[in-house]
Amino acid sequence: MPITVVGSIAYDSVSTPFGERQRMLGGAAVHFALAASFFQEVRVVGPVGDDFGETELDVLRNRGVDISDVERIPGGKTFFWRGKYGWDLNSRETLDTQLGVFEGFQPKLSESSRSSDVLFLANIQPDLQREVRAQMPHARFVALDSMNLWIEAARESLMKAIAECDCLILNDSELRQLTDKASLYAAAREVLSWASSPPDSSSGAGSSEADGDRETPARRGPRVIVAKQGEYGAALVTADGFFSLPAFPLESVVDPTGAGDTFAGGFVGYIAAHADEEITDELLRQAMAHGTALASFNVEEFGTHRIESLAGAEIVARVRQLREFTQFSAAPVPLGE
Ligand code: AMP
């Protein structure tokens, strides 16, 4: 089933211990769309400026991504992000973020984008995520990603956006920051508890009744939580269980930018490919494996380059290897008291 995604469409300037690149194609929605396009048709919603090249759009077109809702804003500047990594590729410094055309952008989804069953609210201002969510009240599965900037600068709006989705995908540190819990598992369980009783505005969450200005989709709140842990993999928490996968072991990691979004593309893409089935924990585990495999390719080269040249068979092979790496049998031995 088709997937609609809103999120940053960007130029990224990135420095890692292995090199530097200026103004590469990037953005959360772009990394997500390229990965998810291996599974289903993807429709990208978002603005770009005059400076955004046809070559960059071709990268999306070449993977069959529908870009009819990518709006070129005359006189506008494309979202720009500059970041730097040290030897610990798990942490990075943001040196510059320029929202450009995203400032004041009002999305108007085409009929086609609205009709997708699956929606991914990739990282961008939560108000914008909510505007897109409101235009797709009947989406069957809605997942959301965000980051520390929005937890700090737009917490109230972010909490409302979270309350309107089925699945929250966040970095582990951001999940802790969001919930004020030191234990990742406790943090995830806390968010799950919001599904039945959304927190009130005094805890920063807000409620739909306060929002007279938009058609608010049916309240649900996330029932699936994914904590991304960078080079340590990702953990899944639902009401029924817990699952965790390490990152795929690689000899060489060049640029981790976009790994989280690429993971999300594999994860949500896999779910969308099974959207007529019940979303069981077993299905979610398979989705985790596909997200993990996709993310491992993304980090092998700068920007979107590796995913651009990726073949489906390579993903299948890596998922198989990942299963071998993570399987074990619990053969008990007699243990002393
Ligand atoms: P990831 O490495 O998966 O967390 O995502 C990296 C991508 O997020 C980059 O391509 C950036 O363009 C994009 N990005 C960085 N900061 C922001 C922000 N504040 N809002 C939206 N997207 C961002």
Side-chain angles (χ1 to χ4, degrees), residues 238-318:
T238 67
D240 298 328
F242 174 86
F243 180 66
S244 172
L245 276 180
F248 189 90
L250 294 170
E251 292 278 350
S252 147
V253 176
V254 168
D255 173 17
T257 310
D261 307 306
T262 306
F263 170 91
F267 180 79
V268 174
Y270 189 89
I271 293 170
H274 298 81
D276 49 350
E277 295 172 27
E278 199 192 334
I279 300 176
T280 59
D281 275 29
E282 185 52 33
L283 183 79
L284 292 169
R285 287 174 179 219
Q286 290 158 1
M288 290 276 289
H290 284 79
T292 301
L294 258 304
S296 73
F297 289 109
N298 176 75
V299 303
E300 288 179 336
E301 288 180 30
F302 275 97
T304 55
H305 288 123
R306 183 63 182 97
I307 302 293
E308 284 174 49
S309 65
L310 186 62
E314 294 180 281
I315 303 171
V316 174
R318 223 166 242 194

Side-chain angles (χ1 to χ4, degrees), residues 118-184:
V118 175
L119 170 63
F120 185 61
L121 302 166
N123 183 21
I124 197 63
Q125 298 111 311
D127 283 338
L128 183 50
Q129 293 178 315
R130 294 190 67 214
E131 278 174 44
V132 172
R133 174 69 180 99
Q135 291 178 46
M136 293 180 61
H138 306 300
R140 290 175 58 184
F141 184 77
V142 182
L144 176 144
D145 188 10
S146 191
M147 68 181 294
N148 54 354
L149 175 68
W150 307 119
I151 298 175
E152 287 150 25
R155 184 181 173 89
E156 203 172 317
S157 172
L158 175 60
M159 293 296 268
K160 289 176 186 168
I162 291 172
E164 293 165 3
C165 73
D166 305 292
C167 170
L168 178 65
I169 304 178
L170 270 190
N171 284 344
D172 54 351
S173 58
E174 289 156 356
L175 196 56
R176 290 192 180 94
Q177 184 183 8
L178 182 73
T179 56
D180 265 334
K181 300 266 183 210
S183 147
L184 191 63

Side-chain angles (χ1 to χ4, degrees), residues 8 10 12 26-28 31 79 81 85 92 97 123-124 147 149-150 256-261:
S8 53
D12 289 345
H31 286 291
F79 181 104
W81 178 77
Y85 298 81
R92 69 177 171 215
T97 303
N123 183 21
I124 197 63
M147 68 181 294
L149 175 68
W150 307 119
T257 310
D261 307 306

